[in-house]
Amino acid sequence: MAQKNNEDGFHVLVIGAVASCSRQLKIRCTLFERENYLNERIRDWNFGVYHAKPQFDECVPDHISGKLSSALSDPVRGLSEQDVFPLFNAQTGELLMEMPTPNATRLNRSKFRVLLAEGIDIQYSKRLSVIDCPDNSTSVTARFEDGSAVTGNLIIGADGANSRVRDFLLGPSKAALEPLPLLGCGAVESLPADISRKIRDINDLYFVAYHPEGVCAFMAVHDVPDPSKPETWKWMFSLTWPDKDGPVPVGAEAIRQKWVFWAEQLAEPFRSAYMSIAPSATIWCDRLAEWRTEPWDNRNGRVTLAGDAAHPMTYHRGQGLNNAIIDAAFLCRSLNEHCQNGTPITEALAVYEKEMQERGRAAVISSGENSLMVHDWERLKQSPIFTMGFKPLQKTS
């Protein structure tokens, strides 16, 4: 009979992402966050849980799921079976298609992180420096830039697209992101009351508009402090456009110039919304990139990856978060097999990694292709967002 591994003895070190499944399974877990405190970074966004809702429910503990509505982008509005995601012609304002998205769960990232952090052992100001995997040992040590070190049994690299854990596993060259011929800007800002109302009349949750010249404009409700005062509502803005090898705008003035150039191409009321964000607004600008997932040596079951660290992809079809949620659920199932049923960690991780690497690589490739297609007017309606919506490439359970 397989021997159960002591739940207090098996120690998981998570680099970079707030996680909650470990509490469901009663696994000892410590999270290491490079921020000095929760939500220190100014940059914020919201995201949608679509096809991964069953795995999401599996991961989130009951005491958090009961408070989940507080982390919605609009808690008062809540969820609706009638939700749709409208796709527009950004040049004319014509509605191209409405995609049914019943009960679309759009979460405010910073609020959701506050919920997930409840009761979790989080150590802040921890920037990973080195990972030590001694031969003939079942332990692994994470060393940090502040000189501290922590030893455990498994490191999960959930440290984002520019993952240091991925660098360790594959080497910086093989782990490097592949830049794409697309640039993107983003912001979270409020709008004048009249414009905010006009935008919400289009769709009270989110929409996207595609321009024949290649720009893609996405807006989503981010926060609704006072439903009766539209000037207090916050919106998440995104603008992306084709750019093969030009420099990424740097500095507030250069970024704002690019923002205004593309915003002026949009039909009303999209144009007014993008042009009306405050001059003092912080706008981010990046080149889009991806990394096509490939297998790695998990050092005899001691180091693995999850989320954006394992499959960083573009965001125009909402697949990144949903695949990360599936990762979390499947990885926790594997850890349960090890900690509760005595399955060797090498075997348990092999099951998780095989499924995740195949699914992740396919999602990265499909998301990248979709992003290129939605910026090409001739191919727009053949893109996965038009033909598949937010659905997964394959069913998961």
Side-chain angles (χ1 to χ4, degrees), residues 132-141 151-153 297-302 345-346:
D132 289 337
C133 285
D135 293 336
N136 302 316
S137 173
T138 60
S139 68
V140 60
T141 299
T151 297
N153 302 96
D297 174 3
N298 64 25
R299 306 309 195 270
N300 203 30
R302 288 179 290 173
I345 188 62
T346 51

Side-chain angles (χ1 to χ4, degrees), residues 15-17 128 156-166 305-306 308-309:
I15 309 297
L128 184 68
I156 301 173
D159 48 340
N162 295 292
S163 170
R164 291 191 177 186
V165 180
R166 190 173 74 239
L305 300 173
D308 284 349

Side-chain angles (χ1 to χ4, degrees), residues 378-391:
E378 297 300 317
R379 298 194 296 158
L380 174 65
K381 291 187 178 180
Q382 286 75 53
S383 64
I385 190 65
F386 273 78
T387 60
M388 297 178 61
F390 295 133
K391 295 176 182 177

Side-chain angles (χ1 to χ4, degrees), residues 163-164 166-177 291:
S163 170
R164 291 191 177 186
R166 190 173 74 239
D167 284 350
F168 165 77
L169 288 172
L170 292 128
S173 179
K174 289 186 70 175
L177 291 169
W291 181 72

Side-chain angles (χ1 to χ4, degrees), residues 107-387:
L107 296 166
N108 179 304
R109 175 181 175 271
S110 58
K111 290 182 179 180
F112 185 51
R113 280 165 56 86
V114 169
L115 280 184
L116 288 185
E118 292 181 8
I120 290 181
D121 178 11
I122 305 177
Q123 295 188 21
Y124 292 98
S125 305
K126 296 295 182 182
R127 289 180 173 271
L128 184 68
S129 176
V130 175
I131 295 175
D132 289 337
C133 285
D135 293 336
N136 302 316
S137 173
T138 60
S139 68
V140 60
T141 299
R143 300 188 183 279
F144 300 94
E145 291 182 356
D146 63 2
S148 63
V150 180
T151 297
N153 302 96
L154 173 66
I155 286 179
I156 301 173
D159 48 340
N162 295 292
S163 170
R164 291 191 177 186
V165 180
R166 190 173 74 239
D167 284 350
F168 165 77
L169 288 172
L170 292 128
S173 179
K174 289 186 70 175
L177 291 169
E178 182 67 30
L180 296 174
L182 299 168
L183 292 181
C185 284
V188 172
E189 279 295 320
S190 56
L191 293 169
D194 60 330
I195 297 174
S196 202
R197 283 193 185 279
K198 286 180 181 178
I199 292 297
R200 202 138 196 215
D201 285 344
I202 294 173
N203 185 278
D204 64 353
L205 192 60
Y206 52 5
F207 68 84
V208 67
Y210 305 105
H211 197 288
E213 294 299 318
V215 69
C216 170
F218 172 83
M219 284 184 67
V221 174
H222 183 71
D223 195 14
V224 183
D226 187 337
S228 68
K229 295 181 178 179
E231 67 274 16
T232 68
W233 305 345
K234 286 191 174 182
W235 296 87
M236 182 177 78
F237 296 80
S238 172
L239 279 175
T240 52
W241 63 90
D243 187 296
K244 186 175 182 180
D245 50 19
V248 178
V250 176
E253 183 177 352
I255 293 173
R256 166 88 49 176
Q257 286 177 354
K258 188 63 74 172
W259 180 276
V260 169
F261 172 80
W262 286 113
E264 287 180 336
Q265 317 297 315
L266 305 178
E268 291 293 350
F270 315 135
R271 181 184 183 279
S272 291
Y274 278 83
M275 294 292 286
S276 294
I277 69 169
S280 59
T282 299
I283 304 174
W284 297 275
C285 195
D286 304 287
R287 178 167 292 284
L288 277 63
E290 65 182 21
W291 181 72
R292 298 187 173 188
T293 313
E294 59 182 82
W296 54 79
D297 174 3
N298 64 25
R299 306 309 195 270
N300 203 30
R302 288 179 290 173
V303 186
T304 194
L305 300 173
D308 284 349
H311 39 65
M313 65 189 77
T314 56
Y315 42 77
H316 294 98
R317 207 169 72 84
Q319 297 300 295
L321 172 76
N322 285 267
N323 274 277
I325 292 169
I326 295 170
D327 292 352
F330 287 12
L331 179 52
C332 283
R333 293 178 196 178
S334 289
L335 291 179
N336 185 60
E337 282 298 312
H338 172 64
C339 293
Q340 303 301 323
N341 299 331
T343 301
I345 188 62
T346 51
E347 294 180 18
L349 272 190
V351 172
Y352 160 71
E353 290 179 345
K354 182 178 188 301
E355 188 281 335
M356 181 268 287
Q357 289 166 358
E358 293 176 357
R359 169 176 47 80
R361 182 177 178 84
V364 171
I365 293 171
S366 175
S367 292
E369 290 174 347
N370 177 74
S371 291
L372 295 175
M373 292 176 78
V374 300
H375 295 86
D376 180 346
W377 191 253
E378 297 300 317
R379 298 194 296 158
L380 174 65
K381 291 187 178 180
Q382 286 75 53
S383 64
I385 190 65
F386 273 78
T387 60

